[in-house]
Amino acid sequence: MENSLKSKIAGFLQWYQDLYGGEWYIETPNPAAAEKRPGQTAALGNSTLQQFHRAIENCQNCPLGRTRTKFVFGTGHENAGIMFIGEAPGQDEDLQGIPFVGRAGQLLNKLLANVQLKREEVYIANILKCRPPNNRDPQPEEVEQCIPYLQRQIEMIQPKLLVALGRVAAQNLLNTTESLTNMRKRVWSYREIPLIVTYHPAFVLRYNDKFDSAMEDMRFILEHYQKLPEKEKPGR
Ligand code: SF4
């Protein structure tokens, strides 16, 4: 085998291992696989969050279905006025099946509490429902497969305000490559719902000096939220 071919194969294997660890994902064009998309379409038609959760919790539409421990649907008030959206489950979330339960989750609870918001009053979900190995960034194909689930959750909850936690969530929702710095302190729109961008709590844990800025963002979020018209059945 030519050296250049060997090195291309070695490069591919390294890239794949970086993405998915030791697990191999081979998509086979069999009838069962072909039925997934109609199945996904049917799942998206479920009318309650609980039914929808049950319909998609065994999803294998991308390679992360093979490497996850637990599927992480989302948690919170089904009629929440604010919906927080992170990037993907981390290690603690993957083990427990609940978003934002590790140290980053505790910090999020603290930020919410500082503006008198309780976690049970809001809804929290991620762009991806399964953990990427080693907490790497979601890949575009994974987002493409998974984001219809989040979109359906947003349709069902109909929040007054969306909050993107971190650069990755914000860039994927807004389809932009803007930096986090440029996206903060502005009101964007996602499918006609106002959207505000702030830091991911894990980033604030890593850079403690960002805590005050994260608090400023939280106050900006609350001020904007309070100006929005009430929902028919308010979540708070
Ligand atoms: S990340 Fe999303 S699309 Fe991929 S397997 Fe999990 S639920 Fe399915």
Side-chain angles (χ1 to χ4, degrees), residues 23 32 52 54 76 112 119 133 137 144 194:
E23 297 286 333
F52 184 46
R54 265 190 254 116
L112 291 174
R119 190 171 159 128
D137 282 357
E144 190 187 338

Side-chain angles (χ1 to χ4, degrees), residues 59-62 64-65 68 71 129-130 145-146 149:
C59 177
Q60 294 288 333
N61 285 356
C62 86
L64 301 180
R68 71 176 172 230
F71 171 90
K129 311 251 174 266
C130 306
Q145 285 300 317
C146 210
Y149 296 150

Side-chain angles (χ1 to χ4, degrees), residues 155-225:
E155 277 170 24
M156 293 170 107
I157 295 164
Q158 293 185 21
K160 294 196 309 184
L161 179 65
L162 294 168
V163 178
L165 296 168
R167 175 188 59 83
V168 173
Q171 287 183 340
N172 277 294
L173 288 168
L174 298 173
N175 197 20
T176 179
T177 53
E178 289 260 16
S179 70
L180 185 78
T181 307
N182 287 345
M183 287 188 280
R184 286 178 59 233
K185 297 182 177 168
R186 290 165 64 178
V187 182
W188 301 77
S189 174
Y190 177 76
R191 298 186 157 205
E192 300 182 6
I193 301 173
L195 182 149
I196 295 175
V197 179
T198 184
Y199 298 106
H200 193 287
F203 181 83
V204 182
L205 280 177
R206 212 171 311 139
Y207 301 98
N208 287 328
D209 59 327
K210 298 291 180 198
F211 182 83
D212 289 346
S213 306
M215 269 314 307
E216 266 174 41
D217 285 359
M218 211 46 95
R219 284 190 285 271
F220 178 67
I221 288 162
L222 190 71
E223 273 165 29
H224 190 76
Y225 175 60

Side-chain angles (χ1 to χ4, degrees), residues 10-20 139 141:
F12 170 78
L13 291 173
Q14 186 60 54
W15 168 81
Y16 198 97
Q17 191 173 37
D18 290 344
L19 282 183
Y20 301 112
Q139 296 296 296
E141 317 79 61

